[in-house]
Amino acid sequence: MGAMCASAPNANGENDRNKKIQRDMQNEMKRQEEIIKLLLLGAGESGKSTIFKQMKILYGLPYTQEELTNLVPVVHNNVVQNMLLVLDNVDAFGHSPSEEAQATMKAIADSVTEDSPFTDELRDQFKSLWKDEGVQATWGERSKYQVLDSLGYYMAEENVDRLSDAEYVPTKMDILQARVRTSGIVEEKYEIDGVQFTMFDVGGQRNERKKWIHCFDNVTAVIFVAAISEYDQVLYEDNKTDRMSEAIKLFAEICNSQWFSKTSMILFLNKSDLFREKLPRIPFRVPGERNEDFTGPFAEDGGDFEDAVTAAQDYILGKFVEVKRDDDKEIYHHITCATDTSNVEVVFNAAKDIILRLNLVSSGFMH
């Protein structure tokens, strides 16, 4: 009898502990439910990782000195690797550099590799070559081979000299222009206007996709990034498939996936700056090749340029929207320039308002 009475406090204590654990679990579940989870998706080279970097600049902790130091070789490698790609294609595209440029190119071919340091000597060689008409003509045809558009930024007169300085520290724009392929999953947490956000960036290349789709069925929204400037370019992975078709195909997979049937879809039509620069030079419609059902107006015809830009953007948007199978699923879209911080801030604020409103609706607080 006494033994039985003695065990009662232990039982009560166990019950109290269990209740506390249950309360803690419920509180944690509630806290997790209140976090807005955003999944950033897009085909390779769409600019989604630049959007991710912009979010860190706008809402995250400042880059540490160690992070900035680690970015120096990334910037240098981007310059060296992509300048070599341009030089490798000069002959392939039938352009004729000057005799002086040819001698410099030979010296570089004999001594410089993709991993070579970006020295003052190499910088000066690159600068002289960048001014050569044959090299510039090859750069003008860059959509026909795989080279980063950011090379133009790094080689600009106001930027290239400081890159090889011994005390060089990457600026915000240097960071945004730098390219490192995303592999696996990168996660960042932010507090914006009192709301907790978690953003995920995942590898965009074909071989990365199967690793992540099923892992994110509980995200609040998918932000899908597509580069509208790539209407005449092919994939990094196979050099055959055109990038726009691949982006639309991937968007169809995501938009119609069982994992995202209840997930808000936000489409960022990105690289608007490059799109505007390219449109007068490279026809948007080429019979037998691309965008054959586009009816204009055409930028190359000399009419109103803004009308041509809007028409081409609307055409691309229509191609993305038409792949959705659920007529009730709304796709919210924005034109973006991922390297423009103020543009990304305005666009994300608009997207954030949509996300928060839809989250309240799905939680039963709004109708």
Side-chain angles (χ1 to χ4, degrees), residues 39-43 48 202-204 208-210 212-214 216-217 219 221-225 246-267 320 323-326 329 331:
L39 179 58
L40 200 57
L41 297 181
K48 67 184 177 59
V202 295
E208 298 283 341
R209 289 177 203 157
K210 59 182 179 294
W212 47 252
I213 283 195
H214 64 285
F216 295 101
D217 58 331
V219 295
V222 168
I223 297 177
F224 189 95
V225 185
E246 180 73 4
I248 293 168
K249 179 182 175 185
L250 175 58
F251 183 73
E253 289 176 20
I254 301 302
C255 186
N256 299 314
S257 168
Q258 60 173 323
W259 306 110
F260 302 124
S261 60
K262 304 298 182 187
T263 305
S264 302
M265 285 283 158
I266 298 173
L267 175 64
F320 278 91
V323 300
K324 68 169 184 171
R325 298 193 196 113
D326 182 356
K329 192 177 187 70
I331 296 168

Side-chain angles (χ1 to χ4, degrees), residues 23 28 30 82-83 85 87 98 127 169 173 201 203 205 218 238 243 267 273 290-291 308 318 342 347 352 355 366:
R23 277 196 309 273
E28 177 60 20
K30 186 172 183 297
N82 286 279
M83 189 63 178
L85 280 169
L87 299 180
S98 67
K127 281 177 66 176
V169 177
M173 186 56 77
D201 182 19
Q205 278 70 38
N218 66 338
D238 69 8
R243 291 188 185 183
L267 175 64
D273 55 333
R290 61 175 177 265
N291 305 330
S342 60
V347 166
K352 180 192 68 176
I355 291 162
M366 282 179 64

Side-chain angles (χ1 to χ4, degrees), residues 65 68-69 72 76 118-120 123 160-170:
Q65 190 57 50
L68 291 172
T69 300
V72 172
H76 286 173
F118 189 54
T119 60
D120 288 349
R123 177 204 63 199
V160 67
D161 283 335
R162 60 185 174 81
L163 299 183
S164 64
D165 192 289
E167 303 300 317
Y168 167 61
V169 177

